[in-house]
Amino acid sequence: MNRRPITALSLAEIHPGQPATSKPEVTWIKPTELLVDAAYQRDLSDPSLRLIRRIIERWDWRRFKPPIVAWTDDGLEVIDGQHSAIAAASHPGIDVIPVVVVEATARSDRAEAFVGHNRDRIAVTAAQMHVAAVAAGDPAAQSVARVAAAAGLTLLRLPPARAVYKPRETIAVAAVRGLITLEGEERAIEILRVLTEAGLGPITAAQIKAAHHLCTDSQFTDLDRAGLTQTIRATPARLVDQEAKEHAAVHCVPLWRGIAAVWFKAARKKVPRTEARSPSRAAKGGITIPAWVPDDLIEDYRDVASLEGEERATSHVRKLKRKAV
């Protein structure tokens, strides 16, 4: 068991606030009897309505957090927990709910408490949710854990101190899950090993998408996994990041496409040419090199066309020609 008791922390230079004049009480009340002050509470947006619908559909008292309320001249007013209260009021099987009653007579006190509830909280990260989901037996989370272990990928709950990652570490849980959804566990392991065996750290969502693109798109059938891993290992990460950002900005594409372009070009440069001095203009992968493209820019044209299409390749090569002039 990993349970541990809650203990007080020794924090330097803290200034505890004064305890409330009276302790809060817990009482049960019909949710339809609770009040909401529109002067400081949030309107019900579309995301709010979707959240309320999810709470109703997945109602579980183990997940229920009692709203924080305060007495006013008109009755009990909700300070925090509006969505939970509305969901309970809308649920046909809920008659009463527990609420925590605090002292906040003035509206300004209640509004200040509302701000504090929504400011002084730390959002749960996707990686932390993943760990909890694995413990809860969630099949999708357990699939991610299996794939990560088989690929040699270390899933972190939080970014490390000073953002110093070790090789094979990542917090991109959502990207791993998405890869499994698209390719299945076995293929996802193969793709992730391209990155883990290259010793990357951290392994980012953009890198996972780039590797997925290069390993599965029919345009890159001449790239083998071992060769791609060697290329990634040999290419400095800072150089890849810089060139990928430039590529993404010039071609108006996502960063992962820029990373894929940089890795692809680096891998192609390592492939020895066995034929004539001039690269072939013959159709390859459905791409035929136009006659106006100089011999020394044929590979550039083909690389960009493979990744972004022939129109972008034409624009790219023409820019290179203008720079050369």
Side-chain angles (χ1 to χ4, degrees):
M1 293 292 182
N2 293 322
R3 299 187 185 95
R4 62 179 185 276
I6 291 179
T7 56
L9 298 178
S10 299
L11 301 176
E13 298 183 3
I14 61 172
H15 306 282
Q18 294 297 321
T21 54
S22 61
K23 291 183 178 180
E25 300 177 354
V26 177
T27 189
W28 290 75
I29 188 173
K30 291 182 178 180
T32 52
E33 295 180 3
L34 295 173
L35 308 173
V36 172
D37 190 341
Y40 64 86
Q41 286 285 353
R42 291 168 286 186
D43 292 332
L44 293 183
S45 61
D46 288 340
S48 294
L49 295 175
R50 288 195 293 270
L51 172 60
I52 291 170
R53 184 175 292 108
R54 286 198 302 272
I55 294 174
I56 296 171
E57 293 174 348
R58 306 173 187 176
W59 186 275
D60 188 335
W61 283 111
R62 293 169 296 183
R63 303 179 186 177
F64 182 78
K65 289 183 282 190
I68 307 298
V69 302
W71 280 109
T72 69
D73 293 338
D74 298 319
L76 282 174
E77 180 179 303
V78 176
I79 294 175
D80 185 62
Q82 177 186 186
H83 294 105
S84 296
I86 295 174
S90 307
H91 196 296
I94 303 300
D95 295 325
V96 293
I97 60 172
V99 295
V100 178
V101 185
V102 298
E103 183 177 330
T105 306
R107 171 186 279 179
S108 59
D109 292 337
R110 297 191 292 275
E112 183 181 4
F114 169 82
V115 171
H117 277 288
N118 290 278
R119 179 190 58 202
D120 302 334
R121 62 177 60 178
I122 298 176
V124 179
T125 67
Q128 291 170 323
M129 286 293 291
H130 164 73
V131 173
V134 171
D138 179 74
Q142 291 180 332
S143 176
V144 170
R146 283 194 300 271
V147 167
L153 186 66
T154 302
L155 299 173
L156 301 180
R157 297 192 189 195
L158 293 169
R162 297 182 298 278
V164 179
Y165 288 83
K166 297 177 182 178
R168 304 184 177 193
E169 291 184 337
T170 187
I171 58 172
V173 175
V176 175
R177 184 183 295 232
L179 180 62
I180 296 170
T181 300
L182 291 172
E183 300 295 337
E185 289 193 15
E186 185 175 347
R187 187 66 172 136
I189 292 169
E190 294 177 3
I191 294 170
L192 289 173
R193 279 179 177 166
V194 169
L195 304 176
T196 57
E197 291 175 4
L200 292 179
I203 293 175
T204 66
Q207 291 169 342
I208 292 173
K209 289 183 178 181
H212 177 220
H213 184 55
L214 293 176
C215 289
T216 60
D217 196 289
S218 59
Q219 301 175 64
F220 312 115
T221 54
D222 59 336
L223 282 180
D224 67 286
R225 184 176 68 85
L228 181 57
T229 295
Q230 293 172 2
T231 297
I232 296 172
R233 183 187 296 116
T235 309
R238 290 185 179 180
L239 177 62
V240 172
D241 186 58
Q242 179 182 347
E243 293 186 1
K245 288 179 179 178
E246 292 175 357
H247 179 95
V250 170
H251 298 286
C252 299
V253 296
L255 178 62
W256 67 265
R257 280 194 172 273
I259 295 174
V262 174
W263 284 346
F264 180 62
K265 290 178 183 179
R268 287 291 293 271
K269 288 178 181 177
K270 293 178 180 297
V271 177
R273 295 177 186 168
T274 58
E275 298 184 358
R277 295 180 182 176
S278 298
S280 173
R281 294 176 180 270
K284 185 177 181 181
I287 299 169
T288 301
I289 308 300
W292 59 266
V293 176
D295 288 348
D296 61 335
L297 295 180
I298 286 177
E299 292 299 338
D300 289 273
Y301 182 94
R302 181 173 281 122
D303 291 346
V304 176
S306 297
L307 288 162
E308 309 297 339
E310 296 184 21
E311 185 176 346
R312 289 193 181 277
T314 298
S315 175
H316 174 70
V317 170
R318 283 177 175 164
K319 287 180 180 178
L320 292 179
K321 289 179 66 178
R322 286 196 296 270
K323 287 182 180 179
V325 172

